[in-house]
Amino acid sequence: LTWQGPFFVNAGADADTAIDAMPVLSATNDGTWVAAWETSAADGQSDIAVARLTDGDTGWGPAVLRNGDALDTAPRIVND
């Protein structure tokens, strides 16, 4: 893994109107990295977005919304 300057984990972040906040990052022993963050759309609904980078990948996978019917805030990642 080679670190570079800042970049967007979620595609289109530089052009969308969502407010992304509260990022967390974690790594596992097998080289998988997971990023999660709170994202809020213009309608005020907050969801948790998650993206993954697997050892050997050339970039982050697509962000997936892990939303429910409730207001989702302050993501946390736990590894075992």
Side-chain angles (χ1 to χ4, degrees), residues 9-11 37 49-52 60-65:
V9 172
N10 55 329
W37 62 96
V50 179
R52 185 175 71 165
W60 289 90
V64 176
L65 292 179

Side-chain angles (χ1 to χ4, degrees), residues 30-59:
D30 68 359
T32 299
W33 289 79
V34 177
W37 62 96
E38 178 182 326
T39 183
S40 301
D43 65 2
Q45 179 66 36
S46 291
D47 293 313
I48 302 299
V50 179
R52 185 175 71 165
L53 174 71
T54 307
D55 188 29
D57 280 354
T58 57

Side-chain angles (χ1 to χ4, degrees), residues 9-10 13 16-25 35-41 44-51 63-67 70-77:
V9 172
N10 55 329
D16 68 23
T17 58
I19 298 170
D20 298 325
M22 307 289 292
V24 291
L25 183 66
W37 62 96
E38 178 182 326
T39 183
S40 301
Q45 179 66 36
S46 291
D47 293 313
I48 302 299
V50 179
V64 176
L65 292 179
R66 296 295 185 192
N67 58 336
L71 181 66
D72 301 318
T73 61
R76 298 290 180 260
I77 300 173

